[in-house]
């Protein structure tokens, strides 16, 4: 390991520790244990070396948001750490329908499922991938809900009233497994994160009534993980608080 590599590893170790402390404190404040909260470290825009370092620091869930970047980095990670040490790979960003076939090759979970056509394509692709030995099992998915006023299309997500129909479609898809709901908090000028996540939690209860196995609630990022823990989030997707700011996104 070069000097720069070991410095970066120390930096990641420190920020990872700080985020785990934040999660533990938030869980305590709401009478929850932190063992049922899964930290997904979102590594988009950061190099494969960071993923390798994170795995060596005990990270068991990695999040990515763009297919092309993810496919290459996940392959590099696998050849470095080996199949047995691979973390779970979560696709958290918007997925173009035509990328479904690629995503099912390396993703364990897709969080951003928000339309019929994507569900149909992921289902077919996951079944084909199992058939061809590229996957061992069905693809775990969460339905992404838009908690804002529907104006931010880049954020993605189905309107709350469309959620149950998509959940039903996933439940009838042999290649997919419905795990729960996901959301990105809207712009705080639209709605504050705590109120947004409370809305999500209510919707989650409705979905659970029909789909009792859909227990996951994927909500909370670097800036609002406490608000998400407060409403019962089971999966936090944290990037910049651990890896630093994403210069290339600016
Ligand atoms: C980038 C991203 C995150 C992580 O965001 P941070 O604010 O860097 O923690 C979480 N969820 C999704 C869908 C993302 O695209």
């Amino acid at each position: 390991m070069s000097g720069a590599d070991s410095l970066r590893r120390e930096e990641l170790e420190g920020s990872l520790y700080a985020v785990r402390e934040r999660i533990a404190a938030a869980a305590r404040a709401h009478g929850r244990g932190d063992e049922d909260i899964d930290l997904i470290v979102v590594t988009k825009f950061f190099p494969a070396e960071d993923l390798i370092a994170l795995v060596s620091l005990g990270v068991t869930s990695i999040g990515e948001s763009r297919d092309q970047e993810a496919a290459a980095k996940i392959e590099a990670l696998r050849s470095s750490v080996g199949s047995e040490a691979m973390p779970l790979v979560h696709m958290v960003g918007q997925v173009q329908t035509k990328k479904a076939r690629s995503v099912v090759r390396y993703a364990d979970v897709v969080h951003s499922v928000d339309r019929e056509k994507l569900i149909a394509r992921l289902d077919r692709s996951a079944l084909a991938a199992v058939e061809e030995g590229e996957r061992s099992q069905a693809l775990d998915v969460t339905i992404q809900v838009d908690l804002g006023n529907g104006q931010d299309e880049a954020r993605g997500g189905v309107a709350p009233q469309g959620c149950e129909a998509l959940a039903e479609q996933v439940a009838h898809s042999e290649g997919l497994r419905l795990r729960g709901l996901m959301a990105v908090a809207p712009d705080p000028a639209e709605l504050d994160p705590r109120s947004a996540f409370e809305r999500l939690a209510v919707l989650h209860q409705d979905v659970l009534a029909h789909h009792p196995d859909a227990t996951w609630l994927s909500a909370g990022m670097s800036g609002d993980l406490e608000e998400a823990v407060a409403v019962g989030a089971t999966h936090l997707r944290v990037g910049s608080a651990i890896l630093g700011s994403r210069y290339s996104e600016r």
Side-chain angles (χ1 to χ4, degrees):
M1 202 185 280
S2 76
D5 285 351
S6 71
L7 263 182
R8 177 60 170 157
R9 189 178 184 280
E10 270 175 40
E11 187 175 84
L12 290 172
E13 185 172 29
S15 54
L16 194 56
Y17 179 82
V19 165
R20 287 195 171 126
E21 287 289 297
R22 275 175 68 188
I23 297 169
R28 256 194 321 274
H30 296 281
R32 304 182 58 188
D34 59 3
E35 63 287 341
D36 66 335
I37 302 176
D38 192 352
L39 171 61
I40 300 165
V41 182
V42 179
T43 49
K44 64 184 179 208
F45 294 114
F46 288 92
E49 288 70 33
D50 280 351
L51 280 69
I52 295 166
L54 288 164
V55 168
S56 80
L57 291 167
V59 167
T60 54
S61 286
I62 288 288
E64 282 287 334
S65 74
R66 290 178 187 193
D67 170 62
Q68 208 176 357
E69 177 192 341
K73 277 156 61 178
I74 297 306
E75 194 179 302
L77 177 63
R78 190 183 300 278
S79 46
S80 172
V81 304
S83 293
E84 301 76 47
M86 276 299 282
L88 286 175
V89 176
H90 298 253
M91 174 50 75
V92 302
Q94 286 292 292
V95 177
Q96 290 176 275
T97 308
K98 65 180 181 199
K99 301 288 191 177
R101 189 66 186 88
S102 171
V103 169
V104 301
R105 290 203 181 99
Y106 58 82
D108 296 290
V109 188
V110 175
H111 287 238
S112 44
V113 170
D114 62 357
R115 58 196 189 276
E116 258 179 60
K117 201 167 161 196
L118 178 61
I119 294 172
R121 197 69 70 86
L122 285 171
D123 180 33
R124 223 179 326 133
S125 302
L127 287 174
V130 169
E131 187 107 335
E132 287 157 26
E134 291 171 332
R135 299 187 60 81
S136 57
Q137 55 180 5
L139 178 73
D140 284 333
V141 305
T142 58
I143 306 287
Q144 182 179 354
V145 182
D146 180 11
L147 301 171
N149 51 21
Q151 279 172 4
D152 184 355
E153 283 195 18
R155 194 173 50 225
V158 65
Q161 59 272 23
C163 182
E164 179 54 32
L166 294 188
E168 208 45 47
Q169 189 192 349
V170 171
H172 288 98
S173 301
E174 207 188 324
L176 307 178
R177 195 153 56 140
L178 179 66
R179 301 314 303 258
L181 298 186
M182 177 276 220
V184 176
D187 185 329
E190 270 177 64
L191 187 65
D192 68 280
R194 178 67 187 258
S195 307
F197 291 151
E198 277 168 0
R199 220 177 253 187
L200 178 68
V202 169
L203 194 61
H204 188 216
Q205 290 308 310
D206 295 346
V207 170
L208 273 172
H210 298 106
H211 310 280
D213 294 333
T215 54
W216 296 7
L217 197 53
S218 168
M221 319 202 317
S222 294
D224 54 22
L225 70 87
E226 283 82 4
E227 285 85 350
V229 169
V231 306
T234 61
H235 292 69
L236 308 174
R237 308 176 312 270
V238 180
S240 51
I242 294 169
L243 288 127
S245 57
R246 295 179 287 269
Y247 294 106
S248 46
E249 211 177 28
R250 288 183 186 162

